[in-house]
């Protein structure tokens, strides 16, 4: 079931999303050589709590932390760890959400740790741009396949691949709601988009092949070929006046 949100609900969601965006900004600014992923997680958590929010991911299906922090060939769902120390040249994907007033905000971004390679920079820029290509298609009357097709065409034209095993999603009073929002697809196909829908668009893009595997910790998703991966995500509302990105500060 797709839950449409009223104007009032969107206002509350905007607050949840503002908190999520603030926490992601703080986490991203903390990315530097020598810092542990646990420290970054704790900064994000403290910020969310200080704003009256609740970390959306903590305890979600048993997930143990506020943020997912995934480095280099890790795609998503890396578990923060005090022994995991960032080093110069790493690319660091941080994904987190906050619940406020009964609604979730969800967002992610990939950050550079110190100086990174030109190839890593290009992957990050392309993934970020692909998110905006997808957001442009989040319009009333369009279809879910328009979003995935826009993301897929943009990244494949640049030699990268879309992770297929994980997808974006509706978001609202539940972190994951219908419909699924794949980062691949056919324009003109899929669920029709309507005002009041709120969706998380979140391209996960690999420098190599699209295949992924999961570590024995049951969470961490890695590229099968060891290639770098990047991830960007915004929570977006579909309105009669076009897409509204809610996860902005
Ligand atoms: N990162 C996922 C998303 O953006 C949700 C995290 S699942 C969790 O949809 F279990 F790690 F919380
Ligand atoms: Co999400």
């Amino acid at each position: 079931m797709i839950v449409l949100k009223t104007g009032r609900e969107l206002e509350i969601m905007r607050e949840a999303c503002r908190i999520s965006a603030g926490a992601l900004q703080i986490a991203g600014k903390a990315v530097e050589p020598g810092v542990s992923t646990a420290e970054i997680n704790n900064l994000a958590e403290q910020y969310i709590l200080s704003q009256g929010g609740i970390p959306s991911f903590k305890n979600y299906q048993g997930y143990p932390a506020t943020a997912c922090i995934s480095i280099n060939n890790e795609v998503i769902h890396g578990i923060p760890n005090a022994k995991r120390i960032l080093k110069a040249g790493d690319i660091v994907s941080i994904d987190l959400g906050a619940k406020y007033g009964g609604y979730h905000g969800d967002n992610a971004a990939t950050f550079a740790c110190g100086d990174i390679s030109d190839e890593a920079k290009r992957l990050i820029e392309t993934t970020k741009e692909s998110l905006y290509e997808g957001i442009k298609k989040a319009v009333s009357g369009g279809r879910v396949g328009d979003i995935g097709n826009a993301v897929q065409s943009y990244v494949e034209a640049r030699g990268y691949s879309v992770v297929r095993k994980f997808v974006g999603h509706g978001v609202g009073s539940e972190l994951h709601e219908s419909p699924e929002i794949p980062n691949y697809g056919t324009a003109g196909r899929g669920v029709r988009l309507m005002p009041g829908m709120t969706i998380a668009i979140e391209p996960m893009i690999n420098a190599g092949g699209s295949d992924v595997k999961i570590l024995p910790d049951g969470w961490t998703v890695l590229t099968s070929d060891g290639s770098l991966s990047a991830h960007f995500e915004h929570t977006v509302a579909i309105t009669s006046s076009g897409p509204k990105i809610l996860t902005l500060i």
Side-chain angles (χ1 to χ4, degrees), residues 65-216:
T66 289
C68 299
I69 307 183
S70 311
I71 303 170
N72 296 335
N73 58 320
E74 296 170 358
V75 180
I76 47 168
H77 299 171
I79 302 173
N81 184 322
K83 293 188 191 130
R84 191 78 192 271
I85 310 294
L86 301 181
K87 55 184 197 323
D90 285 342
I91 66 169
V92 183
S93 297
I94 304 177
D95 185 358
L96 56 83
K99 190 175 197 188
Y100 178 85
Y103 292 88
H104 294 275
D106 189 3
N107 61 180
T110 300
F111 300 93
C113 180
D115 281 335
I116 61 171
S117 67
D118 288 347
E119 177 51 23
K121 280 182 200 158
R122 193 174 84 95
L123 173 67
I124 291 174
E125 278 314 304
T126 303
T127 305
K128 186 183 200 171
E129 270 314 303
S130 78
L131 168 59
Y132 289 100
E133 290 297 309
I135 291 172
K136 278 188 215 162
K137 301 291 182 182
V139 295
S140 177
R143 293 196 183 253
V144 164
D146 301 348
I147 297 173
N149 183 260
V151 172
Q152 181 181 11
S153 329
Y154 188 85
V155 306
E156 288 183 354
R158 286 156 183 80
Y160 297 137
S161 63
V162 169
V163 172
R164 289 163 177 263
K165 206 170 168 201
F166 295 89
V167 296
H169 50 92
V171 53
S173 60
E174 302 292 334
L175 178 60
H176 292 147
E177 298 185 351
S178 288
E180 289 193 341
I181 311 289
N183 299 297
Y184 54 88
T186 307
R189 298 277 189 89
V191 168
R192 195 175 283 285
L193 302 169
M194 296 207 292
M197 286 173 69
T198 46
I199 57 175
I201 306 176
E202 51 177 316
M204 291 148 266
I205 305 302
N206 296 348
S210 62
D211 270 11
V212 297
K213 58 185 182 185
I214 300 182
L215 279 187

Side-chain angles (χ1 to χ4, degrees), residues 7-60:
R8 177 68 196 130
E9 287 175 303
L10 288 179
E11 281 174 27
I12 302 168
M13 249 185 101
R14 172 77 179 106
E15 283 311 307
C17 288
R18 206 192 298 277
I19 296 169
S20 305
L24 184 60
Q25 184 184 65
I26 285 167
K29 284 193 171 144
V31 169
E32 51 178 318
V35 173
S36 77
T37 56
E39 288 173 82
I40 294 171
N41 177 76
N42 293 343
L43 286 172
E45 180 165 318
Q46 280 159 22
Y47 177 77
I48 291 169
L49 296 173
S50 78
Q51 300 302 301
I54 299 164
S56 298
F57 297 179
K58 206 169 182 178
N59 303 318
Y60 181 83

